[in-house]
């Protein structure tokens, strides 16, 4: 291959050789650094599970129920036996619905039984009082990835044709040959009604715009043909005095959606959505068939093999238990201590940087420091399992689907009991074997699961510069989320609150608009990147590299070249074009190549280290280089 010059395309220069030899597995649409780690962790977990099941290894206490459940997920013959009868029994409550009024009377019971309904109530912290859980109402999911997917008529029809064909084949396989076509048309009709009124992923990416608290009476006026008080009171055990609307645009038009004349469309939608919810838990042929549309969307060539699918299904219901075991087994105290030290070092870097930012007033600067000081940090794995996972029990005499339905009922009951309670800040939003990290604006906390704390992100054998270019940028990225275009609107307690001076925030918005423009319209496999959709993550990348680079330069053996090269290595990726185009529509992250190249060209140290000159592909004029944090 021809060697790409670092000055023309840094991402390609670092990753080109890897990309050329990399092979995208047939059962997924992408491969790369993150995905290699995921594959390696899963392979090791499956090896240990096989040793346990062969009697070669004692079952860890936290994994006992997971091991039992795995026996059910991999018994494909039992899963396939009687699947027609199981589906017909499962759909019976929906098939029995005779009218809109009938449905309204049954909706609470359907939700409690674990069915998907058109009303989407959930319990989550109140954005302006995060010490209390409140009831939120959202809009139902769409068939296609986003509302923008419906704007291209030809593209929409091609996608819906693939989806409809898949569903038709599923219905025929499960004994609904006669009714299938009508249900599909009804579902598509209702889906279009939803798509015409819902907000896009871009609009919903501004989390602070999706907080609309109101009384129950006011919420009921939004949906006058829904027995909202009855349904919510049944779910919560008492009548709520407050409801928070998530998608305001949708609920301003919801009175046109939740009406008697749409009942046939609603019923068809309910039947098919719930069938798709359970199809993956039936026989292998049914599982593979039910994944057809997802593979078509992403460009994935083959379904996941049965043995891998069975493991993933078992793990999904016990992910916290498997993750805790993984963290305890593979994440040592030395690594935990080292990473925690890096986190606190980067927090100190941020504190110093606040003092150096000349566009911040003293008033805003001090409040930013208060939020930074209150930032909670979790590294590795949780000390204990959540109560619901610790108490989850598998009935080995029941079928897989029967167990899944019971798990769902138990989870729903547990979920609605959280209403009015203080949120559990100790619960991890990701299992410890997840290759990722996150910032929670509700709790003002950053979390780094054990799985991401390995090469190329982090390794005790890597130099400090490499580790700062790897996990250091990830840590600082998550810290920056506390001060990105969403996080900046929440205070140190996680409450939605204006804590900036108006002048400072106007300056901040001017800077973030420059980030929007830097990415907006760039190409990703023929699709255009949405600068607004991705702005929070891009701001976090810029802040992450900036703070981590400062920390790396504090080390006597600084190697800036190694820092930037390892940063680029994190994002190496090879993906199917359809997958990249899909992500451009719905993903809040910029494509891997762009989040590398567009980010690093904003740093003077990058230009100096790699001798980037005007005319080079990686050149950005100094006056155009964006620095926020």
């Amino acid at each position: 291959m021809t060697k790409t010059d670092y000055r023309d395309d840094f991402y390609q220069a670092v990753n080109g050789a890897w990309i050329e030899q990399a092979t995208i597995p047939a059962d997924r649409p992408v491969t790369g650094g993150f995905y290699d780690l995921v594959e390696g962790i899963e392979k090791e977990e499956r090896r240990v599970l096989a040793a346990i099941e062969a009697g070669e290894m004692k079952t860890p206490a936290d994994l006992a129920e997971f091991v039992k459940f795995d026996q059910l997920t991999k018994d494909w013959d039992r899963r396939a036996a009687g699947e027609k009868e199981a589906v017909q029994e499962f759909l019976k409550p929906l098939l029995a619905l005779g009218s809109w009024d009938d449905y309204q009377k049954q909706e609470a019971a359907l939700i409690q039984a674990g069915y998907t309904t058109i009303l989407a109530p959930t319990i989550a912290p109140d954005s302006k009082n995060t010490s209390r859980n409140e009831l939120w109402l959202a809009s139902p999911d769409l068939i296609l990835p986003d509302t923008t997917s419906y704007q291209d008529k030809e593209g929409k029809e091609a996608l819906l044709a693939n989806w409809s064909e898949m569903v038709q084949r599923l219905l025929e396989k499960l004994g609904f040959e006669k009714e299938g076509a009508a249900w599909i048309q009804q579902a598509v009709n209702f889906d279009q009604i939803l798509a015409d009124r819902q907000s896009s992923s871009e609009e919903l990416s501004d989390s602070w715009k999706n907080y609309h608290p109101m009384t129950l009476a006011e919420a009921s006026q939004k949906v006058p043909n829904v027995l909202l008080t009855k349904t919510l009171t049944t779910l919560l055990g008492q009548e709520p005095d407050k409801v928070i609307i998530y998608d305001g645009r949708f609920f301003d038009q919801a009175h046109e959606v939740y009406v008697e004349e749409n009942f046939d469309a609603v019923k068809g939608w309910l039947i098919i959505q719930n069938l798709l919810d359970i199809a993956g838990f039936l026989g292998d042929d049914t599982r593979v068939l039910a994944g057809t549309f997802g593979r078509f969307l992403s460009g994935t060539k083959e379904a996941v093999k049965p043995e891998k699918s069975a493991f993933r299904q078992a793990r999904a219901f016990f992910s916290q238990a498997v993750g805790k075991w993984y963290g305890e087994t593979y994440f040592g105290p030395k690594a935990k201590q080292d990473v925690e030290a890096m986190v606190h070092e980067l927090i100190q870097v941020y504190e110093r940087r606040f003092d150096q930012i000349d566009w911040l007033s003293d008033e805003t600067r001090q409040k930013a420091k208060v939020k930074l000081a209150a930032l909670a940090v979790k590294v590795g794995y949780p000390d204990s399992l959540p109560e619901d996972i610790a108490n989850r029990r598998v009935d080995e005499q029941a079928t897989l689907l029967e167990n899944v339905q019971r798990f769902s009922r138990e989870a729903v009951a547990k979920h609605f009991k959280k209403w009015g309670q203080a949120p559990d800040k100790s619960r991890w939003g990701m299992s410890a074997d997840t290759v990722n990290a996150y910032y929670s604006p509700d709790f003002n906390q950053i979390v780094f699961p054990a799985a991401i704390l390995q090469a190329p992100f982090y390794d005790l054998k890597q130099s400090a510069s490499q580790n700062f270019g790897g996990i250091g940028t990830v840590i600082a990225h998550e810290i920056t989320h506390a001060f990105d275009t969403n996080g900046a609107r929440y205070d140190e307690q996680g409450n939605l609150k204006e804590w900036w001076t108006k002048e400072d925030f106007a300056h901040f918005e001017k800077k973030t608009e420059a980030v929007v423009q830097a990415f907006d319209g760039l190409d990703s496999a023929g699709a255009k990147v949405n600068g607004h959709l991705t702005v929070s993550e891009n701001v976090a990348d810029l802040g992450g590299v900036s703070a981590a680079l400062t920390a790396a330069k504090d080390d006597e053996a600084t190697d800036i070249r190694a820092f930037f090269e390892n940063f680029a290595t994190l994002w190496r990726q090879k993906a199917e074009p359809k997958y990249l185009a899909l992500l451009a529509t719905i993903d809040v992250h910029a494509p891997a190549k762009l989040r590398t190249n567009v980010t690093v060209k904003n740093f003077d140290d990058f230009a100096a280290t790699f001798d980037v000159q005007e005319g080079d592909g990686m050149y950005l004029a100094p006056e155009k280089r964006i620095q926020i944090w």
Side-chain angles (χ1 to χ4, degrees):
M1 62 173 286
T2 303
K3 177 76 171 169
T4 303
D5 194 301
Y6 283 77
R7 294 170 294 188
D8 290 327
D9 184 339
F10 185 64
Y11 176 86
Q12 186 68 26
V14 173
N15 297 314
W18 176 88
I19 291 171
E20 186 170 86
Q21 59 81 35
T23 300
I24 301 172
D27 64 357
R28 67 180 190 223
V30 59
T31 192
F34 276 84
Y35 309 97
D36 290 345
L37 289 181
V38 170
E39 197 75 25
I41 291 167
E42 182 179 282
K43 185 177 180 180
E44 176 62 10
E45 289 176 344
R46 289 178 62 197
R47 182 194 69 78
V48 171
L49 179 62
I52 291 171
E53 292 176 341
E56 300 166 1
M57 178 177 171
K58 185 179 179 181
T59 305
D62 285 343
L63 299 187
E65 296 301 310
F66 163 67
V67 173
K68 290 180 187 177
F69 198 56
D70 182 67
Q71 298 298 314
L72 293 178
T73 59
K74 69 182 185 181
D75 189 345
W76 292 100
D77 290 339
R78 187 180 180 193
R79 290 175 59 160
E83 63 178 9
K84 280 187 180 181
E85 293 77 9
V87 168
Q88 292 187 10
E89 182 65 25
F90 173 76
L91 292 179
K92 191 179 291 184
L94 303 178
L95 296 173
L97 294 173
S99 67
W100 177 257
D101 185 57
D102 189 19
Y103 171 57
Q104 288 305 305
K105 293 175 181 176
Q106 297 295 323
E107 186 154 28
L110 289 170
I111 293 171
Q112 289 173 324
Y115 289 88
T116 296
T117 74
I118 61 172
L119 196 63
T122 191
I123 306 299
D126 185 331
S127 295
K128 288 197 172 181
N129 178 18
T130 53
S131 64
R132 176 186 164 94
N133 283 322
E134 289 291 359
L135 186 134
W136 292 65
L137 287 182
S139 51
D141 290 337
L142 300 175
I143 293 172
L144 303 189
D146 185 59
T147 57
T148 55
S149 306
Y150 295 77
Q151 294 171 7
D152 172 7
K153 184 179 179 184
E154 185 176 336
K156 178 190 80 170
E157 290 178 352
L159 290 174
L160 286 176
N162 183 279
W163 180 86
S164 298
E165 180 185 356
M166 175 192 74
V167 176
Q168 182 67 45
R169 290 171 60 199
L170 263 178
L171 290 167
E172 290 173 359
K173 187 176 188 301
L174 297 169
F176 297 102
E177 299 91 343
K178 295 179 181 179
E179 308 95 326
W183 288 344
I184 291 169
Q185 189 58 57
Q186 290 162 353
V188 169
N189 290 345
F190 187 65
D191 181 69
Q192 186 65 59
I193 291 171
L194 296 174
D196 288 341
R197 293 161 177 81
Q198 286 187 14
S199 298
S200 67
S201 297
E202 177 188 357
E203 292 165 322
L204 295 176
S205 68
D206 292 328
S207 62
W208 51 279
K209 289 182 179 179
N210 302 308
Y211 176 76
H212 308 284
M214 58 189 68
T215 64
L216 177 58
E218 290 170 334
S220 296
Q221 289 174 5
K222 298 279 188 183
V223 284
N225 294 292
V226 172
L227 296 180
L228 193 62
T229 298
K230 175 187 179 300
T231 298
L232 298 183
T233 301
T234 300
L235 293 174
L236 301 176
Q238 66 183 86
E239 186 175 306
D241 57 359
K242 184 177 187 177
V243 176
I244 303 174
I245 297 297
Y246 179 67
D247 185 346
R249 180 176 184 268
F250 174 78
F251 278 95
D252 283 343
Q253 303 172 77
H255 62 280
E256 303 169 348
V257 178
Y258 299 141
V259 290
E260 186 173 4
E261 48 265 42
N262 286 339
F263 172 68
D264 287 342
V266 166
K267 183 174 178 178
W269 184 91
L270 287 169
I271 291 168
I272 290 176
Q273 289 296 339
N274 282 281
L275 171 61
L276 292 174
D277 285 345
I278 66 162
F281 300 110
L282 303 174
D284 192 48
D285 290 345
T286 305
R287 171 191 71 89
V288 172
L289 177 55
T292 305
F293 180 62
R295 294 192 295 276
F296 178 75
L297 268 180
S298 65
T300 303
K301 296 179 175 63
E302 294 179 5
V304 172
K305 297 293 188 222
E307 57 275 13
K308 187 183 286 190
S309 172
F311 170 81
R312 290 178 179 175
Q313 288 184 331
R315 183 196 168 279
F317 287 91
F318 292 92
S319 61
Q320 292 284 357
V322 176
K324 180 172 178 288
W325 167 83
Y326 172 87
E328 291 172 339
T329 305
Y330 297 95
F331 186 59
K334 177 68 173 71
K336 180 179 175 68
Q337 183 181 7
D338 195 40
V339 172
E340 286 177 339
M342 287 181 70
V343 173
H344 292 294
E345 182 177 353
L346 286 162
I347 288 174
Q348 290 171 0
V349 166
Y350 245 94
E351 185 173 12
R352 295 197 301 270
R353 291 174 74 81
F354 284 146
D355 287 329
Q356 297 163 358
I357 295 173
D358 58 10
W359 55 271
L360 277 182
S361 68
D362 287 341
E363 181 181 349
T364 302
R365 181 179 290 112
Q366 291 308 312
K367 290 181 178 178
K369 286 184 176 182
V370 168
K371 181 171 185 180
L372 184 67
L375 188 67
V377 179
K378 295 178 180 176
V379 174
Y381 52 90
D383 295 328
S384 59
L385 289 178
E387 182 184 2
D388 55 325
I389 302 301
N391 293 334
R392 180 167 286 170
R393 293 294 178 267
V394 176
D395 181 352
E396 296 169 277
Q397 303 308 310
T399 66
L400 172 62
L401 181 57
E402 288 167 343
N403 274 277
V404 167
Q405 287 182 264
R406 179 167 53 79
F407 291 165
S408 182
R409 291 192 299 270
E410 292 170 352
V412 169
K414 178 78 173 177
H415 182 73
F416 285 106
K417 283 182 180 177
K418 295 178 183 177
W419 174 73
Q421 303 298 311
D424 180 5
K425 295 184 179 183
S426 69
R427 185 165 188 145
W428 288 48
M430 290 176 180
S431 62
D433 61 344
T434 301
V435 184
N436 212 327
Y438 70 93
Y439 168 74
S440 166
D442 288 336
F443 301 153
N444 191 33
Q445 64 180 215
I446 49 177
V447 181
F448 304 99
I452 199 173
L453 303 173
Q454 54 186 309
F457 295 92
Y458 167 82
D459 196 315
L460 286 168
K461 298 176 182 177
Q462 290 183 165
S463 70
S465 293
Q466 287 175 304
N467 279 337
F468 275 115
I471 196 62
T473 62
V474 174
I475 292 168
H477 172 106
E478 300 305 337
I479 295 173
T480 307
H481 272 313
F483 306 97
D484 68 15
T485 51
N486 282 314
R489 299 175 185 272
Y490 297 81
D491 68 12
E492 72 276 9
Q493 300 299 323
N495 294 317
L496 192 56
K497 182 179 179 181
E498 293 182 9
W499 52 269
W500 296 61
T501 66
K502 290 185 178 179
E503 294 78 8
D504 288 350
F505 203 78
H507 201 136
F508 173 70
E509 288 191 305
K510 183 177 180 181
K511 284 180 169 291
T512 58
E513 180 56 29
V515 179
V516 172
Q517 296 307 317
F519 284 85
D520 197 53
L522 297 178
D523 180 77
S524 180
K528 299 299 181 185
V529 174
N530 185 323
H532 186 91
L533 174 65
T534 59
V535 64
S536 285
E537 293 295 335
N538 294 330
V539 168
D541 278 342
L542 283 165
V545 171
S546 183
L549 180 59
T550 299
K553 288 164 70 176
D554 287 342
D555 186 89
E556 291 182 0
T558 302
D559 184 343
I560 293 177
R561 172 179 286 268
F563 173 92
F564 280 111
E565 286 182 346
N566 205 35
F567 175 71
T569 301
L570 299 186
W571 308 115
R572 67 185 185 190
Q573 184 184 90
K574 189 170 185 176
E576 297 291 347
K578 287 177 72 172
Y579 181 69
L580 292 175
L582 172 65
L583 292 185
T585 304
I586 60 174
D587 193 1
V588 294
H589 303 86
K593 181 172 183 173
L594 298 178
R595 69 184 298 187
T596 301
N597 283 354
V598 179
T599 298
V600 300
K601 66 172 59 175
N602 285 281
F603 291 89
D604 296 345
D605 283 314
F606 173 80
T609 300
F610 294 96
D611 191 29
V612 180
Q613 302 294 326
E614 189 170 359
D616 293 335
M618 293 301 301
Y619 180 78
L620 185 64
E623 67 274 12
K624 293 184 178 180
R625 294 172 190 167
I626 306 166
Q627 290 293 313
I628 301 178
W629 301 118

